[in-house]
Amino acid sequence: MNLSDSRTAGQHVSAPASAPSVPSSAPEGAPSGVPADLPANPPSAGRMPLARLSAAEAVFNALRGDIERGVLEVGAKLSSEATLAQRYGVSRSVVREALRSCNALGLTTTKTGRGTFVVASHVAKDLVLGQYSALDLTEARPHIEVPAAGLAAERRTPEELEALREIVAAMVAEDDPESWVSLDSSFHAAIARASRNKVFENVVSDIRDALAHQSETLNMVADRQFASDHEHQRILAAIEAGNAEEARAAMREHLHAVGAALDSILSP
């Protein structure tokens, strides 16, 4: 049974009625759809289809659960991509994406030619995203980007508005994760410039690399890209309409969603 890796981004989708359920013997806290008494590196390569979130997220959740429960201890080497793909009934590219999520959260590290190893039993509460921690960004961004969005709605030039339109349109059409992340940071930087406040512009420029790391991590782990596109469209619409109050509200809701996604990563 191969899992589809398409779903509504940022929102969990209930498993269909025909999906396999967790055996009654599974202890509390076992990953959905994964029998808790089955080791993460079984001697045989029998398939164990997961409950449907997205394929990559389901595999990531299963691996993270095994790491946090000690089934996979610090120092352990994970099975090969091919073995994990067969075990979960997914493609190797899906497994590769799940492993990138584990690496991004500091749970594992992949060594070229040697494999992927567990390096931490839990995600650090002070998860660092580039130069700043996730907590730093979550606390600071609303005080910078919310008022900047309101000022941008009042002060943006026609050229700046057109640039924002082009960025949002490109993001919606973009399939490459790295290109999307670059556009995302460009969008937030463009709003700060359009605010005509040099402090906001300079601060957002300073944290731009951290914002890119944050977006990349959330897209890998929490599948935020689709939801972010819609939130950006609402911000753009308010700036386009010159509605400062709505622009602030839209940016505030976007940052709240980002913060909630981070919380779900740090406290599963």
Side-chain angles (χ1 to χ4, degrees):
M1 173 182 174
N2 287 328
L3 296 173
S4 167
D5 56 356
S6 63
R7 68 175 176 87
T8 303
Q11 298 178 2
H12 289 290
V13 178
S14 299
S18 59
S21 58
V22 178
S24 58
S25 59
E28 183 178 352
S32 177
V34 181
D37 57 350
L38 193 67
N41 293 291
S44 64
R47 289 186 179 182
M48 285 195 332
L50 298 174
R52 186 168 184 246
L53 302 173
S54 74
E57 189 175 357
V59 173
F60 162 72
N61 286 341
L63 290 173
R64 178 178 181 177
D66 284 342
I67 291 170
E68 293 186 336
R69 295 196 321 277
V71 177
L72 277 170
E73 297 180 345
V74 173
K77 180 180 178 181
L78 272 62
S79 297
S80 68
E81 289 181 3
T83 299
L84 291 172
Q86 187 175 15
R87 180 190 178 203
Y88 295 122
V90 298
S91 67
R92 290 182 65 173
S93 63
V94 167
V95 169
R96 200 170 297 121
E97 183 178 346
L99 293 178
R100 283 200 301 268
S101 296
C102 289
N103 288 349
L105 295 185
L107 294 172
T108 61
T109 184
T110 299
K111 301 178 181 179
T112 304
R114 295 185 57 194
T116 299
F117 298 82
V118 179
V119 294
S121 60
H122 290 82
V123 178
K125 294 299 181 183
D126 58 346
L127 177 67
V128 175
L129 300 166
Q131 187 179 353
Y132 301 98
S133 73
L135 179 60
D136 287 341
L137 292 174
T138 300
E139 289 179 343
R141 291 184 69 185
H143 300 287
I144 301 161
E145 297 191 71
V146 169
L151 291 175
E154 297 172 339
R155 300 174 178 178
R156 86 292 185 279
T157 65
E159 293 77 18
E160 288 167 337
L161 180 58
E162 183 58 29
L164 286 170
R165 288 175 181 146
E166 290 177 358
I167 293 171
V168 169
M171 293 178 77
V172 171
E174 186 56 67
D175 293 326
D176 179 70
E178 290 186 11
S179 297
W180 188 94
V181 164
S182 177
L183 288 166
D184 181 41
S185 59
S186 294
F187 177 73
H188 287 275
I191 289 175
R193 284 195 301 272
S195 75
R196 293 288 185 278
N197 184 300
K198 279 293 182 182
V199 173
F200 291 155
E201 180 180 354
N202 290 340
V203 170
V204 173
S205 177
D206 181 65
I207 67 174
R208 186 166 175 171
D209 285 346
L211 296 183
H213 279 281
Q214 185 180 73
S215 291
E216 181 180 28
T217 301
L218 290 178
N219 288 350
M220 285 192 296
V221 181
D223 202 4
R224 276 279 306 158
Q225 183 171 325
F226 182 81
S228 288
D229 283 341
H230 282 274
E231 292 157 13
H232 290 160
Q233 288 170 333
R234 184 185 168 196
I235 295 168
L236 171 61
I239 292 174
E240 187 172 22
N243 189 327
E245 182 178 354
E246 178 61 23
R248 287 191 293 268
M251 181 64 79
R252 187 179 298 110
E253 290 183 14
H254 172 56
L255 296 180
H256 176 77
V258 169
L262 281 169
D263 286 344
S264 73
I265 292 172
L266 300 176
S267 304

